[in-house]
Amino acid sequence: MELFALTEDDITPDVVKICLDKKTSDTVNQIFEKMIAAFYETSPDPMDYSADYKLDKNEHFIIPSFKQHIPLGEALISPKAITALDINDIGLDKIKALFTGSTDGQRIYIQKFDKGQVITATNSFFFFDNTKTFSAPEHNGLTIGPKITAIIDSNILLFRNFNNLRRIFNMDEYYRSATDSELDAFQESDVFHCENGFKLSDFDDTVIRRKVTLLNMSGVLKEHTIATLQEAASVLNHPLDIMRFEEKDKIKLPNNKRDIKLLLSFLDSDIYISAINGVKYRSNSKTRII
């Protein structure tokens, strides 16, 4: 397998080839093979990505139809067309990820690259010709970390840590905080009624902003009527304040942060009742609702 680097956004080219001698190439292949096997062995169960779901140790997220990896796949298919990394032109600190994969570009194995993986010649010493005398290297080097950050298998993205992934790809469309204007548009939709002067953006709460993003992405408020939501709330014995306004039923937005979060969690299907003890929970986190 060939080894490549994905460079920082302000660097051209964005993909470079890391040239290796035969012995080093074999070693790199073995390292990646072990990391790939460890990924599937320790977290074999796939879960559709949900921004607020906390994975169990045996689970990993998947995002289908991922497209940002296309330049990486092209590099694997045509490695000779890719510029070789020259540290005189691109410093190792400008690398944000290492990757390798199959020659058809269908399987890509990616590892985020930390600045701590750069070995600087100015303060590093190694044993070269013998095991008794340290020597200073003439050039900088790099190390490969212990874990795979992401795997792409036929346009399906597999990963465990979203924050690590964000350091490699632009994941805003999958998980980001809603802007003030998006919060305003959300509360002003036909679904809600709120008191004069009320603004969701005044809370400046990350959880609220991200929940609004998730609800906008899911389209749940467009796909379900107030009556359907009211029926679901009744099944869960969950308070849903419905009021008649301008001859139309609307959900009244609470004016305190806790109740807003509970409402958004309900709308995002995060509320459930345990079949064992009948207690109401916020899903995944097991946060009991009193």
Side-chain angles (χ1 to χ4, degrees), residues 1 25 47 67 71 83 85 117 123 130 157 209 242-243 245 255 259-260 267 269 275 280:
M1 293 188 293
S25 179
M47 300 288 295
K67 297 179 180 178
T83 302
L85 172 65
Q117 290 174 246
N123 59 1
N130 59 62
L157 176 65
R209 288 177 179 271
I242 305 295
M243 63 177 298
F245 186 76
N255 56 13
D259 289 344
I260 287 174
L267 294 174
S269 301
K280 195 188 320 182

Side-chain angles (χ1 to χ4, degrees), residues 198-200 203 208 253-266:
F198 174 84
K199 289 181 70 69
L200 269 176
F203 288 105
I208 290 175
L253 278 176
N255 56 13
N256 66 83
K257 186 185 295 187
R258 178 184 182 276
D259 289 344
I260 287 174
K261 288 183 176 180
L262 287 179
L263 171 61
L264 297 179
S265 291
F266 162 74

Side-chain angles (χ1 to χ4, degrees), residues 36-86:
I36 295 163
F39 180 93
Y40 285 112
E41 289 171 3
T42 57
S43 52
D45 301 330
M47 300 288 295
D48 288 335
Y49 175 64
S50 175
D52 55 355
Y53 181 81
K54 184 177 180 181
L55 288 174
D56 288 335
K57 291 182 179 180
N58 62 315
E59 297 173 334
H60 64 264
F61 283 128
I62 63 171
I63 294 178
S65 303
F66 193 69
K67 297 179 180 178
Q68 294 185 48
H69 66 290
I70 292 176
L72 285 66
E74 292 174 345
L76 289 165
I77 295 171
S78 305
K80 292 183 179 180
I82 304 302
T83 302
L85 172 65
D86 185 333

Side-chain angles (χ1 to χ4, degrees), residues 228-240 266:
T228 301
L229 296 173
Q230 196 168 15
E231 181 179 353
S234 177
V235 171
L236 292 169
N237 194 27
H238 185 78
L240 191 64
F266 162 74

Side-chain angles (χ1 to χ4, degrees), residues 154-168:
S154 300
N155 299 327
I156 299 175
L157 176 65
L158 295 72
F159 64 98
R160 281 190 54 82
N161 188 301
F162 186 84
N163 287 328
N164 286 341
L165 200 62
R166 289 180 63 197
R167 296 175 60 182
I168 303 171

